[in-house]
Amino acid sequence: MLYTVDVNSNLMNEFKKEVKENGENENEVLSALLREYLEDLRDAKELDKAIEESDGKFYSLNDVIKELGFENELL
């Protein structure tokens, strides 16, 4: 499948230069960048949902460790 995207020519030239200097394949780098971006978007959505569903209380790591009964092992 072939996609075309209108990208600023200066940005595209800079990208091509860096990819070439690193000896990488442009398509592989772009695919990896898109995968990472999509993962970041999904993570942000999940974080927003978790924040909406939270009780608004935040706990320190030490409080959590004590609540779980691990203070002798970890603190």
Side-chain angles (χ1 to χ4, degrees), residues 19-35:
V19 170
K20 184 177 180 181
E21 287 177 1
N22 287 314
E24 299 181 68
N25 178 290
E26 288 178 24
N27 289 333
E28 290 174 6
V29 172
L30 286 172
S31 293
L33 289 169
L34 286 170
R35 275 191 297 278

Side-chain angles (χ1 to χ4, degrees), residues 34-56:
L34 286 170
R35 275 191 297 278
E36 287 293 324
Y37 182 71
L38 289 172
E39 184 178 319
D40 290 346
L41 287 176
R42 290 179 186 127
D43 289 346
K45 285 179 187 177
E46 288 180 24
L47 180 58
D48 288 342
K49 183 179 178 184
I51 290 170
E52 286 176 14
E53 295 174 354
S54 76
D55 61 6

